[in-house]
Amino acid sequence: HGLSYTSFMYSDFVISSNILTIDFGSDDSPENIDIFLTVTNTGQVYGSETILFFVFIESRYTTPESKRLIGFDKVSLKPRESATVSTSISIDDMRFIGPHDDTHLVLQDGMRFQIGVGPDADCRHKDSKTSSVCSKFVSVQLGDQYVSSCEAACEAWDDSGCGSEFHMDRKECRERCLISDE
C-alpha cells in the first residue's frame, strides 16, 4: 500500500448483464460482461487510485479461488474530479484449472458469481460495509452444445497445428466431436 493524502468514493456501479453465455455450436465470439464505475476524488488534493475488480464464486465445484482479481485500472484525479472506469469479463476469465493437470481449463455451467470493486470488497459477506460495491449474482450459461471434453480436445487439436495440415478447423472438430459424443 502506498500513502495517499486524499480519499476516493466509488459510485454508479453497473454491469451490462447478469448472464455470461457462450454457444459452442456457433463461431460467434463469447459474450462479455462490461463493468462501469464512477470514481470521485473526495479529498482536497490531487491523487491517484488503483481500482481493483474481483469475482467472488458462490459455489466451487472445481478449485478456484473464492476471490479472484480479474482486472484493474488506475486513475489520477484533481480534487472533486470524477472519472468513469470500466473493464470486461469474458467467458475465458471464468475458466479454472481442471482436476487432472494444469493444461486443462474447466468451465462450470450454472456457476454463479458476484463482481466486487475495491481492495476491501468482499461480496461473500452480506453485512459487509463494502457490499455496496458488489453486483447481484451473475450466472455462467454454456448452452446445450457444450461438452468439456470436446472443447479440450479441439483446443489441443488447434494448438497442435494439425487443423491446417488436415484441413479441419475448430468448428468442424467440435461438430465431429459432438456427433461422436451422442
Side-chain angles (χ1 to χ4, degrees):
H1 286 279
L3 291 176
S4 180
Y5 297 99
T6 191
S7 55
F8 295 89
M9 180 180 74
Y10 298 169
S11 62
D12 304 323
F13 179 51
V14 177
I15 62 172
S16 62
S17 177
N18 286 333
I19 299 172
L20 185 58
T21 61
I22 188 167
D23 181 3
F24 284 94
S26 76
D27 274 343
D28 295 336
S29 62
E31 178 181 326
N32 290 333
I33 293 180
D34 297 316
I35 306 163
F36 302 94
L37 177 76
T38 301
V39 179
T40 304
N41 180 344
T42 57
Q44 301 299 315
V45 296
Y46 175 88
S48 296
E49 174 78 343
T50 302
I51 299 89
L52 305 174
F53 297 92
F54 295 96
V55 292
F56 297 86
I57 312 299
E58 178 185 45
S59 176
R60 300 178 296 157
Y61 297 108
T62 58
T63 56
E65 313 83 0
S66 55
K67 181 178 182 179
R68 176 188 263 190
L69 179 67
I70 51 139
F72 62 92
D73 199 353
K74 187 170 188 173
V75 294
S76 297
L77 300 170
K78 297 175 185 171
R80 291 171 294 290
E81 184 179 24
S82 296
T84 300
V85 177
S86 64
T87 194
S88 292
I89 297 176
S90 74
I91 200 78
D92 288 334
D93 293 324
M94 299 314 299
R95 294 180 191 274
F96 301 103
I97 295 173
H100 304 295
D101 59 49
D102 63 358
T103 62
H104 294 95
L105 298 177
V106 176
L107 282 171
Q108 180 183 325
D109 191 31
M111 176 174 58
R112 289 173 20 119
F113 62 93
Q114 289 179 280
I115 302 164
V117 182
D120 299 325
D122 193 346
C123 300
R124 298 167 293 179
H125 305 291
K126 300 294 181 218
D127 296 335
S128 173
K129 64 181 178 183
T130 60
S131 62
S132 62
V133 290
C134 293
S135 71
K136 293 183 178 182
F137 279 102
V138 177
S139 296
V140 173
Q141 295 182 356
L142 301 177
D144 297 336
Q145 297 290 312
Y146 180 74
V147 177
S148 60
S149 57
C150 288
E151 182 191 16
C154 292
E155 184 174 334
W157 174 262
D158 212 28
D159 291 346
S160 72
C162 291
S164 60
E165 185 176 333
F166 292 98
H167 308 290
M168 184 169 64
D169 63 10
R170 187 178 263 198
K171 181 179 181 183
E172 187 177 348
C173 174
R174 202 170 36 243
E175 289 169 358
R176 287 182 180 206
C177 185
L178 290 172
I179 289 169
S180 68
D181 191 54
E182 292 177 347

